[in-house]
Amino acid sequence: MSTVVMHGVVSVDGFIAGPDDQVGPLFDWYGNGDVPLGGGNRVSEASAAYVRPQWDSLGAMIIGRRLFDLTDGWDARPPAGEHVVVVSHRPRPADWHPEATHYHFAEDVTSAVAAAKERAGGRRVAVAAGDVGGQAFALGLVDEVAMDVAPVVLGTGRPYFGPTAPGPYLLEDPDVVVRGDRVLHLLYRVRKGQSRRP
């Protein structure tokens, strides 16, 4: 069965983008190293050793309509994995890459996770941090939380966990802690079967 990992690059104060959806210096670490990562990115050796296997293990990813619209669906080329499931109450744009049969639309997070798992074929499923990831997390559909923490304080913006239901939620101690260049990679397992009180 596929593992569902919630992932995003995040500021030290917990934001994945500013209120205008701009990431500012959050993604600077994608261009400050010597090791090619794909897509024109060059990262440190430590970051590449962590990120590349994570990307290679993905079978599908889940994003919200906001990210789909902002990136134009990466021009029908998923940045990782083979399939993309878009959570949206609006249908797929009629004129958008009719050949992109590896892009799927779902009306809610629960059905999106089920669709992504089915398409992932036992490989990992990534759900983008933010509103959609926060919903999946609050519903108990996330197995791991992966954060690429950039040494930036944005002060305001779009929170990593979105507007999740009131916590607290407990994670296990981090399974992975990797220090890159201008980024700290953290991977936590979600403590299952917990109440929302520590």
Side-chain angles (χ1 to χ4, degrees):
M1 180 175 281
S2 297
T3 297
V4 177
V5 55
M6 181 177 173
H7 174 260
V9 179
V10 62
S11 66
V12 172
D13 55 344
F15 297 106
I16 58 172
D20 56 357
D21 291 315
Q22 297 301 308
V23 296
L26 287 177
F27 284 15
D28 285 356
W29 64 275
Y30 277 119
N32 67 358
D34 299 322
V35 182
L37 192 60
N41 298 310
R42 298 184 73 83
V43 298
S44 69
E45 190 173 324
S47 287
Y50 168 73
V51 173
R52 189 172 288 123
Q54 293 290 322
W55 286 2
D56 289 348
S57 72
L58 293 179
M61 59 187 301
I62 302 167
I63 63 173
R65 185 58 179 257
R66 175 189 299 275
L67 184 57
F68 175 83
D69 288 343
L70 286 170
T71 63
D72 192 31
W74 299 284
D75 202 27
R77 292 188 296 270
E82 297 168 15
H83 296 273
V84 176
V85 180
V86 182
V87 180
S88 176
H89 296 299
R90 291 179 285 141
R92 173 193 187 115
D95 58 347
W96 186 82
H97 293 281
E99 79 285 358
T101 57
H102 50 289
Y103 276 70
H104 318 276
F105 284 70
E107 290 200 359
D108 60 71
V109 170
T110 302
S111 59
V113 170
K117 283 184 170 183
E118 179 181 337
R119 286 164 174 82
R123 297 171 72 196
R124 293 161 61 87
V125 170
V127 58
D131 289 352
V132 167
Q135 290 176 50
F137 182 81
L139 289 167
L141 301 175
V142 171
D143 302 303
E144 298 175 349
V145 172
M147 302 174 125
D148 299 321
V149 184
V152 178
V153 176
L154 292 181
T156 185
R158 305 221 174 263
Y160 181 93
F161 286 98
T164 58
Y169 296 92
L170 299 179
L171 306 175
E172 301 295 347
D173 289 338
D175 268 5
V176 176
V177 179
V178 175
R179 181 180 175 182
D181 183 0
R182 303 291 296 160
V183 65
L184 180 64
H185 305 287
L186 301 171
L187 179 67
Y188 300 90
R189 292 191 194 283
V190 177
R191 187 173 290 182
K192 296 292 187 172
Q194 64 177 312
S195 72
R196 294 181 182 162
R197 299 279 180 256

